[in-house]
Amino acid sequence: NVGRVVGPSWGVLTLILDMSKGVLPIALFLRYGGSEEGSWPLMLIALAPVIGHQFSVFTALKGGKGVATTIGVWLALSPVSVLLALTAFMTTAVLCRYISLASLVFAFALPIILFISEKGPYLLTASLLTALLILFRHKDNIERICKGIEPRWGEGHHDRR
């Protein structure tokens, strides 16, 4: 959204900062708090930055969609799974040209990939909850896709958030 509204440079910077919000708490926990992959604390730490981004107290609980923050979380936890899910994202984006739909495909591909790679119930639960949160934040986009009015990737600089 930022890239579409104010330009690609700001969009890339925002993407990096939003991803950092996801990477940092996981990296700190794994470095200082523990390295147990299958734990409730890690599951909660994986969810916290996404929820904080989507329902920010600094914006009256009206934050972003949480996709970039989710990418950051899972880059720190399971980089190969993220790369596979991003492949699904890119394929959807190229074929359908709806970034919102590609984001949803990413969000739901990730738990499937984590399940196949046997990441354990805590991380699988965190990924499923994150996918549901992303789905919730995309309800307006889904409605616009159904009505045929959601802007496609490359169609200009309209803020349809």
Side-chain angles (χ1 to χ4, degrees), residues 93-148:
V94 167
L95 293 176
C96 299
R97 295 184 30 234
Y98 288 120
I99 296 300
S100 54
L101 180 60
S103 297
L104 289 166
V105 167
F106 166 82
F108 284 94
L110 189 60
I112 293 168
I113 293 164
L114 291 168
F115 177 77
I116 292 168
S117 62
E118 300 177 357
K119 284 296 179 181
Y122 297 105
L123 293 183
L124 183 58
T125 300
S127 69
L128 284 169
L129 291 172
T130 301
L132 292 172
L133 287 166
I134 290 171
L135 176 65
F136 174 75
R137 294 300 287 181
H138 278 84
K139 63 184 181 333
D140 294 338
N141 301 86
I142 294 166
E143 186 176 308
R144 286 192 297 270
I145 289 171
C146 291
K147 290 180 179 177

Side-chain angles (χ1 to χ4, degrees), residues 10-79:
W10 287 107
V12 169
L13 177 62
T14 302
L15 175 66
I16 291 167
L17 291 173
D18 284 350
M19 287 172 56
S20 297
K21 284 191 285 191
V23 169
L24 188 60
I26 299 298
L28 289 172
F29 175 79
L30 293 176
R31 174 73 171 99
Y32 299 108
S35 60
E36 190 178 336
E37 186 176 284
S39 70
W40 282 103
L42 184 57
M43 182 181 109
L44 296 175
I45 290 167
L47 288 168
V50 177
I51 293 169
H53 180 82
Q54 290 181 330
F55 304 98
S56 174
V57 295
F58 302 109
T59 58
L61 304 180
K62 296 181 183 193
K65 309 271 196 225
V67 178
T69 305
T70 298
I71 292 169
V73 165
W74 292 99
L75 271 175
L77 287 171
S78 184

